[in-house]
Amino acid sequence: CGKSVIINTNPGLFNNGDWGAFCQTGAGGSGQLMTVKDGSWHDPETWSCAVVPQATDPVWVRHQVTIMPRQLNRAKKVWIEASGKLIYEAGGLLRVDQ
């Protein structure tokens, strides 16, 4: 379309467009993370802002995510969209700390 969009300092975004604050919490201060591709729960590349969810993070699963054994997989809440799927490998656990 030939137009540029300025993300940083955009007043329509969280905290007047503070992109650093957006990525610090995952989703504009709400702490929500979402999947950006299929992958392992414990892989930062699977998640928005390249952050693995912690016990305080609500998460949206929009892709196929594998829960592997011998890893601390946690979240505060988990929403699974129609396109999302959790796959548990043998011994894999996900602790939801709502």
Side-chain angles (χ1 to χ4, degrees):
C1 69
K3 295 182 180 182
S4 23
V5 176
I6 298 172
I7 294 176
N8 207 13
T9 69
N10 182 330
L13 294 177
F14 171 76
N15 201 23
N16 287 324
D18 183 350
W19 191 249
F22 177 90
C23 280
Q24 185 175 21
T25 62
S30 67
Q32 293 180 357
L33 296 172
M34 65 186 69
T35 59
V36 295
K37 67 175 194 156
D38 293 349
S40 166
W41 182 281
H42 209 67
D43 179 1
E45 296 295 315
T46 303
W47 299 98
S48 56
C49 297
V51 175
V52 174
Q54 302 299 311
T56 56
D57 293 318
V59 301
W60 290 88
V61 177
R62 296 178 170 179
H63 300 82
Q64 183 172 300
V65 178
T66 304
I67 305 293
M68 301 173 73
R70 298 179 301 281
Q71 294 179 337
L72 183 58
N73 304 294
R74 299 179 78 176
K76 182 176 181 179
K77 294 181 181 180
V78 178
W79 291 273
I80 302 173
E81 295 191 3
S83 59
K85 183 177 184 181
L86 290 177
I87 299 172
Y88 289 82
E89 289 190 353
L93 298 172
L94 172 60
R95 181 173 173 175
V96 179
D97 298 314
Q98 183 173 3

